[in-house]
Amino acid sequence: MSGNDSRLQAICDITNREPRPATPPGKLEELWAADVFSLSKMQQSLPKSIFKSLKKTIESGETLDVSIADIVAVAMKDWAIAKGALYYAHVFYPLTNATAEKHDGFISVQGDGSVISEFAGKVLVQGEPDGSSFPNGGIRSTFEARGYTAWDVTSPAYVMETDNGLTLCIPTVFVSWTGEALDKKTPLLRSIAAMNKAATRVLKLFGHQEVAPVNSSCGAEQEYFLVDANFAAHRPDLLLSGRTLFGKPAAKGQQFDDHYFGAIPERVQVFMQEVEERMYRLGIPAKTRHNEVAPGQFELAPFFEAANVASDHQQLTMTILRHTAKKHGFLCLLHEKPFAGINGSGKHVNWSVGNATQGNLLDPGDTPHSNAQFLIFCGAVIRGAHKYGSLLRAVVATASNDHRLGANEAPPAIISVYLGSQLEDIFEQIRQGAITGSKSKGIMNLGVDTLPLFPKDAGDRNRTSPFAFTGNRFEFRAVGSGQSVSGPLVALNTVLADSLDWMANKLEAQLSQGAELTAAIQIVLKEVMDDHGAVVFGGNGYSEEWHKLAAERGLPNLPTTADALPVLEQDNIKDLFAKTGVLSPVELASRFEIYAEQYILSIEVEAKLVISMAKTIIYPTAVRYLSELAHTIAGLKDIGIDLEKATAEKVAALTKSMMETVSSLETALAKHDFASVDEHMQYSGKTIRPLMDKIREYGDALEGEIADDLWPLPTYQEMLFIK
Ligand code: ADP
Ligand code: MG
């Protein structure tokens, strides 16, 4: 049997498959939030006073009146049961980037053996999953298994439909029995509260009488790859680690730029439509879809929402993408770098802050130089990104995102802020000490009478910047495609809270000495630019010059997770989180420990896979090919024909080198005596990973030499181009 039978079978299955029929899209008004226990459904089913109380908590952040829980629970249960749900689940977000849920039935057995459905307020408000199997980073000993989930009223409950039935899902926070956060939601809610407090202080200084709660907004663009499941089934690396650990790049990659924004393949569009329909039913506003740069890569972006809801919805979106892909015969890869040699995937986190009374506080308007309030908020972001740049780097640090950041296709690992030419000019004027005006945006004249004239944007886009201002928001482009957006949002909100508090202190001090508000603002902003302007950079972030310049400016360059994560152990970061009330030192330390462990474990799992694939898949194939070559060469020699031996020699040499490196990796993996987690992380990044890369180099070179009909692993060409 030839080695590539499984590949041929996969191709045959894919080309002969019956396409999953596209169901005609339903009406948006009927689909929209059909599976959500939304405000309007609460209004219909709850007594007026109870609805009002709940709405106050949701919209104005007032303390939840727990006494209404019983009545809300019954309404929620009746709605869910009418939809066909028999179970409910507290959904929470442990520190694994995944979503967790524990299902319980509404069933309650009565004394006479009959059953009724029951859902009491106390079960809605609080759950108690056995938390011992979730990462806790030393917060809890294993015998202290108790963990609590608590209802987050501000994120709506919904019914999740899968092939296995329907479940009422209730978004919750997850804490230890001593009240420490063990999840991604708790600090996000705290960071929003801290930012709200500081922003309100500043807005009051601007003389606003009425200031509604300030919240942050997030629109997260999700990039992903689709690979046919028939191929994926024959790639242990894709199945277990989400990326290819071996694979020679195909002759054609993305060099023709012919995939980006190209026509979406029919099969993929049918998949996307089902994803969007499911999102609409869950009240997630899917808005944009297109092909991405690499072959087989796509993007999905929702309309932005309040950060907490957006974060929950982003988790749901990842789940929906994975589930729906399965139904359509795809494996959806959310890994940051599934394929070598072509672009990886990111998750651009668009972030702004605002409220119902003052609107988007990061909207510069037409003449930003005269918009002092905008300049203060934007200046606060600049200060935060400089003062805590290494924190922003740390919150996007994962083993998988390391393949992307700083690899000249995604933003560099140096955090800088791109403002666009108009704002860069204004902040430069501030630094010089006098604001004179805003460069005009100008009108675009295309020179053809029938084409419209349109206003130009105030700044171009800069794809090479990790953190760019894009008109009325910042776009954090360094976030990884498989990551929860919560960590990045927590960092952004928290550093903004810190900067706004600092500014409010400065402004108040000057006002109390009789200074005019405008003059005080100019002084504060000049100080920001003098001390933190170094973070502003409008040039090419990929270039060598920038790396040099950034070093001269004193900006940290933290290329790997092993370099970036220890930032969480620094005193200034501990202080930042402690004084804003977002994370206690214990909570922060536990996060460091968990993320460091995840980094080490991810690399270990991949290294083990590299070893087993090299030994049990690639080595046997190489040996078979060598045996064929040897027989042929010897046989031909017998009849007086001299066949070249170079190929056999090359295959033999590569195979030998690969197996020697496999041995070195096995030895390296056996080391366990590390003085600290930091040292272990450095070892994973600087010793284990290069050995894996070396083995891959030999493996990929063998793929280029060995007869195709013997090669057992689906190739890049097949995985990226056959759909
Ligand atoms: P692009 O790819 O051009 O950056 P997209 O339209 O794909 O833009 O995505 C932009 C994202 O930014 C969307 O999710 C959008 O809703 C979001 N967004 C727009 N305005 C804001 C804002 N003020 N705050 C947060 N997110 C925003
Ligand atoms: Mg974008």
Side-chain angles (χ1 to χ4, degrees), residues 99-350:
T99 307
E101 47 196 58
K102 181 185 171 222
H103 294 209
D104 279 294
F106 290 123
I107 186 170
S108 169
V109 182
Q110 305 298 290
D112 62 359
S114 64
V115 297
I116 57 166
S117 54
E118 195 176 59
F119 189 49
K122 68 173 195 298
V123 208
L124 164 64
V125 172
Q126 188 186 325
E128 199 201 318
D130 177 350
S132 55
S133 297
F134 292 102
N136 66 77
I139 278 187
R140 217 175 30 196
S141 322
T142 32
F143 61 88
E144 295 168 330
R146 240 182 239 274
Y148 294 114
T149 51
W151 181 29
D152 170 19
V153 197
T154 60
S155 184
Y158 54 92
V159 160
M160 187 69 169
E161 187 174 353
T162 67
D163 290 344
N164 309 324
L166 291 94
T167 310
L168 168 65
C169 293
I170 300 148
T172 59
V173 296
F174 177 48
V175 297
S176 73
W177 82 283
T178 43
E180 269 116 0
L182 294 174
D183 70 342
K184 300 224 173 221
K185 187 190 265 290
T186 310
L188 179 56
L189 292 171
R190 291 179 187 157
S191 76
I192 295 167
M195 193 275 296
N196 171 35
K197 212 164 126 206
T200 304
R201 248 186 103 189
V202 169
L203 288 173
K204 289 266 159 82
L205 289 176
F206 275 89
H208 296 293
Q209 300 300 322
E210 204 193 330
V211 178
V214 181
N215 201 341
S216 57
S217 298
C218 164
E221 304 161 51
Q222 174 75 59
E223 294 177 342
Y224 60 93
F225 278 84
L226 290 176
V227 172
D228 193 281
N230 287 292
F231 289 134
H234 297 291
R235 297 282 320 206
D237 45 0
L238 279 188
L239 292 180
L240 292 193
S241 73
R243 75 170 176 120
T244 54
L245 296 170
F246 289 96
K248 192 169 89 59
K252 179 175 185 269
Q254 62 194 41
Q255 56 273 69
F256 296 109
D257 289 330
D258 53 354
H259 190 256
Y260 193 45
F261 284 0
I264 299 171
E266 220 169 287
R267 183 177 164 201
V268 175
Q269 183 151 344
V270 176
F271 155 79
M272 286 177 169
Q273 279 164 5
E274 191 171 331
V275 167
E276 289 149 11
E277 179 160 334
R278 293 190 69 190
M279 289 173 71
Y280 288 154
R281 295 188 69 85
L282 291 165
I284 312 173
K287 173 88 177 131
T288 305
R289 58 157 110 113
H290 58 79
N291 286 2
E292 254 304 324
V293 171
Q297 191 188 27
F298 306 92
E299 178 178 310
L300 159 73
F303 195 75
F304 66 98
E305 300 179 276
N308 176 39
V309 175
S311 175
D312 288 1
H313 280 173
Q314 220 293 309
Q315 292 292 122
L316 267 174
T317 302
M318 291 197 283
T319 306
I320 292 170
L321 278 170
R322 288 197 179 103
H323 282 177
T324 312
K326 259 193 202 161
K327 289 196 193 170
H328 290 252
F330 287 124
L331 179 67
C332 176
L333 300 171
L334 296 177
H335 192 286
E336 284 77 5
K337 190 74 179 174
F339 299 97
I342 53 173
N343 271 19
S345 300
K347 179 141 58 197
H348 300 172
V349 169
N350 292 270

Side-chain angles (χ1 to χ4, degrees), residues 367-442:
T367 50
H369 72 281
S370 59
N371 185 347
Q373 187 175 297
F374 163 76
L375 292 176
I376 281 287
F377 277 86
C378 190
V381 177
I382 294 172
R383 177 184 177 272
H386 183 249
K387 195 157 188 241
Y388 300 109
S390 51
L391 172 66
L392 296 185
R393 170 65 186 94
V395 295
V396 297
T398 61
S400 48
N401 209 14
D402 277 2
H403 292 287
R404 183 177 154 257
L405 294 183
N408 268 11
E409 55 156 273
I414 306 165
I415 298 293
S416 63
V417 178
Y418 175 81
L419 289 176
S421 54
Q422 190 190 47
L423 283 185
E424 200 175 318
D425 175 58
I426 293 173
F427 277 96
E428 191 45 41
Q429 294 172 27
I430 290 171
R431 198 203 311 246
Q432 305 286 338
I435 304 182
T436 51
S438 302
K439 277 189 192 169
S440 95
K441 293 182 178 177

